[in-house]
Amino acid sequence: MSDFQMSTKCVQGGYTPKNGEPRQIPIVQSTTFKYDTSEDMGKLFDLEATGYFYTRLQNPTNDYVAAKLCELEGGTAAMLTSSGQAANFFALFNICENGSHIVASSSIYGGTFNLIQVTMAKMGIDVTFVSPDCTEDELNAAFKDNTRAVFGETIANPALTVLDIEKFANAAHAHGVPLIVDNTFPTPVNCRPIEWGADIVTHSTTKYLDGHGACVGGAIIDSGKFDWMAHKDKFPGLTTPDDSYHGITYAEKFGKEGAFITKATAQLMRDFGCIQAPQHAFILNLGIESLHVRMPKHVENGQAVAEFLESSDKVAKVSYPGLASDPYHERAMKYFGNGGCGVVSFELAGGRAAAETFMKNLKLAAIETHVADARTCCLNPATSTHRQMTDEQLEAAGIPAGLVRMSCGLEDSKDLIADIKQALDAI
Ligand SMILES: *Cc1c(COP(=O)(O)O)cnc(C)c1O
């Protein structure tokens, strides 16, 4: 399907039924698969033949959807995971081990920040965080001999900073390591990081890809461009025999195009088992079938709401890359050609109390710990996700007490704006 346009890939990518086969992707609701001889099965275990043997590692339903995402992002191999957290962990842990170091943008999702800074540190993996706006010199200075990956988010959740993908890719490649980009917010409809030099793309499919608040999930897509063998010493997991897998050397046997995802499946999925349920993969696929129709509407609503908020004197500051006044506007135009997503964050002039009154009075936008749903939702970090912090700590973290993150859904923007207006009037 690689010659087709994005819309066609969203609808028909990943699965082409043969004569008499189901039109919709089948849900293979089976933990296991049957073989005629032990020899047949042995070949699967040796990775000599392709096929399924246990759904903890792989399932056909998941693979149809992963193949669609692979086409959408322009990669060579892909896999689904049980969540976005699992996707980012697998993407990093597939090439990092005890003693490795990661360079990461400091402007990333809180869950990923925690994963890298706290949990992966316990595994002996070190991190240096850099500002997404650092200079080339500052970025280069963050690398160490044991750096194995660079990580960033195309549009950061919730800060809405935009990553300069080319700059980060160039620095990563100059140091012989891949760039991993979490592309959850723009989705491949608005940005394809591989075209700008990213090597591995990850997603929380929980967000726009599903788009209906129905299923938690994740995905990893490999560009197939990073030459592991050219940096053999850095990536022994890919470039030397895997004793836990019959002495296979992934980069030799599966090449640049297949090594990363094969290793993550054969080794990490086998050992951690963070597989997405086939039922969830099916629901995810329904979401992706309309992704190209939904994303422009999310962006249109985000832009309209951001412009309205900017005109209100109850609002101190609005962050949305689609606004000409936004510090990331130029970068957004380069990488997306629009605001990139439907999430807007803004600070109410009246601080914490104003945020509380505003949110209480909203009728359409529900208070939720979620973004990227068809239904508009919002969150005040100071009274929810970050409620353990004092107003001073919140200010220092760039999350003022009056900050509201609003994820604009697919409703009519006139109704959303009228709802926001009456809630602002109540302050
Ligand atoms: C939500 C989110 C995650 C985590 O995904 P889950 O599916 O909730 O595990 C990772 N990255 C970004 C950018 C997110 O928005």
Side-chain angles (χ1 to χ4, degrees):
M1 300 236 37
S2 54
D3 295 338
F4 288 101
Q5 300 296 315
M6 180 62 58
S7 309
T8 307
K9 290 179 187 174
C10 283
V11 181
Q12 295 214 19
Y15 173 66
T16 311
K18 297 191 195 74
N19 197 32
E21 287 185 348
R23 185 69 189 101
Q24 182 53 284
I25 63 169
I27 303 173
V28 180
Q29 192 63 51
S30 183
T31 57
T32 191
F33 300 83
K34 179 250 173 196
Y35 288 94
D36 289 340
T37 68
S38 311
E39 201 190 335
D40 288 344
M41 186 173 268
K43 284 190 183 133
L44 299 177
F45 274 91
D46 285 347
L47 299 179
E48 287 299 335
T50 53
Y52 298 91
F53 52 92
Y54 193 50
T55 291
R56 170 156 39 82
L57 287 89
Q58 262 186 305
N59 176 283
T61 311
N62 294 24
D63 284 354
Y64 295 136
V65 185
K68 176 178 281 190
L69 286 170
C70 191
E71 287 173 17
L72 293 178
E73 288 287 5
T76 56
M79 69 198 289
L80 298 188
T81 57
S82 54
S83 67
Q85 286 298 109
N88 283 326
F89 174 59
F90 273 28
L92 289 164
F93 198 64
N94 207 30
I95 46 175
C96 294
E97 57 187 29
N98 191 326
S100 301
H101 171 256
I102 297 166
V103 174
S105 163
S106 58
S107 191
I108 52 174
Y109 178 64
T112 314
F113 191 89
N114 212 53
L115 167 71
I116 297 175
Q117 199 193 23
V118 181
T119 302
M120 292 186 74
K122 291 178 186 166
M123 301 169 167
I125 298 164
D126 216 12
V127 60
T128 300
F129 287 108
V130 294
S131 159
D133 306 321
C134 63
T135 64
E136 247 162 78
D137 288 345
E138 286 164 343
L139 183 52
N140 285 322
F143 286 81
K144 301 179 181 179
D145 289 343
N146 57 340
T147 303
R148 295 293 175 263
V150 179
F151 182 88
E153 279 173 23
T154 319
I155 303 178
N157 175 11
L160 301 178
T161 55
V162 178
L163 189 74
D164 190 344
I165 303 172
E166 278 188 316
K167 182 173 84 181
F168 276 69
N170 289 340
H173 298 157
H175 292 86
V177 302
L179 172 64
I180 302 172
V181 172
D182 180 333
N183 197 35
T184 297
F185 267 27
T187 82
V189 167
N190 285 321
C191 182
R192 282 170 302 287
I194 291 171
E195 292 174 1
W196 300 101
D199 301 283
I200 314 281
V201 174
T202 60
H203 281 280
S204 165
T205 63
T206 318
K207 312 295 165 54
Y208 289 115
L209 292 176
D210 164 17
H212 298 80
C215 285
V216 172
I220 308 173
I221 299 101
D222 180 13
S223 70
K225 289 185 176 154
F226 194 83
D227 191 350
W228 308 106
M229 277 304 193
H231 307 283
K232 205 167 182 299
D233 297 345
K234 283 189 161 69
F235 306 103
L238 285 158
T239 62
T240 61
D242 178 2
D243 291 336
S244 80
Y245 233 103
H246 325 289
I248 278 175
T249 300
Y250 296 100
E252 264 173 10
K253 193 163 170 69
F254 300 99
K256 283 193 299 190
E257 294 76 16
F260 189 86
I261 295 294
T262 306
K263 175 178 179 286
T265 302
Q267 212 179 59
L268 302 186
M269 232 11 139
R270 178 197 62 189
D271 296 350
F272 293 111
C274 310
I275 192 90
Q276 187 166 139
Q279 294 259 4
H280 285 193
F282 179 85
I283 293 169
L284 168 60
N285 185 56
L286 289 182
I288 302 172
E289 284 180 6
S290 65
L291 184 69
H292 59 295
V293 182
R294 292 184 288 109
M295 285 316 290
K297 181 70 177 170
H298 281 294
V299 171
E300 181 193 314
N301 282 354
Q303 184 76 30
V305 163
E307 283 172 12
F308 172 75
L309 289 166
E310 202 171 37
S311 72
S312 166
D313 53 13
K314 302 262 171 81
V315 177
K317 186 175 174 240
V318 186
S319 295
Y320 183 70
L323 289 177
S325 59
D326 191 273
Y328 297 96
H329 185 66
E330 201 179 313
R331 229 177 256 171
M333 289 302 127
K334 170 178 169 177
Y335 288 109
F336 326 132
N338 57 35
C341 65
V343 183
V344 179
S345 49
F346 54 99
E347 187 187 349
L348 288 160
R352 181 187 292 263
E356 262 186 84
T357 307
F358 171 74
M359 304 227 320
K360 201 160 60 191
N361 281 281
L362 287 168
K363 294 184 172 63
L364 283 175
I367 301 172
E368 289 170 30
T369 314
H370 193 40
V371 287
D373 189 353
R375 288 147 293 228
T376 295
C377 56
C378 63
L379 188 83
N380 171 226
T383 50
S384 56
T385 48
H386 295 68
R387 65 179 290 125
Q388 75 282 5
M389 291 163 84
T390 64
D391 281 12
E392 292 69 36
Q393 286 172 326
L394 286 165
E395 197 70 46
I399 311 165
L403 190 84
V404 175
R405 179 187 69 186
M406 183 171 282
S407 168
C408 298
L410 300 175
E411 302 92 341
D412 195 302
S413 63
K414 286 199 198 79
D415 292 332
L416 292 180
I417 288 170
D419 188 30
I420 292 167
K421 185 175 184 309
Q422 62 82 26
L424 286 174
D425 288 346
I427 297 171

